[in-house]
Amino acid sequence: LIVNLETSVPVIMERVRKRGRAFEQDIDPSYIELLASLQREWISSHPHLNILTVDTDRLDLAENTAHQKEFVALVRDRLSLE
């Protein structure tokens, strides 16, 4: 199983800002968009793989326990572990 955490560029940039790591602060949003585009292209070219795409715009996996449990449930369901 490949878990693809999909997040919009504005949310990524806000999370980078909140993290406050100096070396990340100058990342150009167009670079993030390029990476996201390449990732979508790669995923679409591998339909035979078991890929779970999770929209993480609304999930705070770093700090929200309920969101973490929701995420684990999605993965377990895809793996048929429940």
Side-chain angles (χ1 to χ4, degrees), residues 38-56:
L38 292 170
Q39 182 173 316
R40 286 189 299 271
E41 182 181 318
W42 186 87
I43 287 170
S44 68
S45 69
H46 292 83
H48 60 286
L49 296 176
N50 186 10
I51 301 174
L52 170 63
T53 297
V54 179
D55 179 356
T56 59

Side-chain angles (χ1 to χ4, degrees), residues 7-70:
T7 310
S8 67
V9 173
V11 171
I12 291 171
M13 298 311 295
E14 176 60 17
R15 290 176 180 170
V16 165
R17 185 195 65 73
K18 285 171 75 174
R19 259 196 309 268
R21 296 176 185 156
F23 66 92
E24 292 180 333
Q25 298 309 305
D26 293 329
I27 294 175
D28 189 321
S30 64
Y31 176 68
I32 301 297
E33 184 54 51
L34 172 63
L35 293 177
S37 175
L38 292 170
Q39 182 173 316
R40 286 189 299 271
E41 182 181 318
W42 186 87
I43 287 170
S44 68
S45 69
H46 292 83
H48 60 286
L49 296 176
N50 186 10
I51 301 174
L52 170 63
T53 297
V54 179
D55 179 356
T56 59
D57 272 1
R58 63 176 187 80
L59 297 177
D60 180 358
L61 297 175
E63 297 185 19
N64 187 307
T65 304
H67 291 176
Q68 293 166 0
K69 288 178 181 178
E70 180 182 341

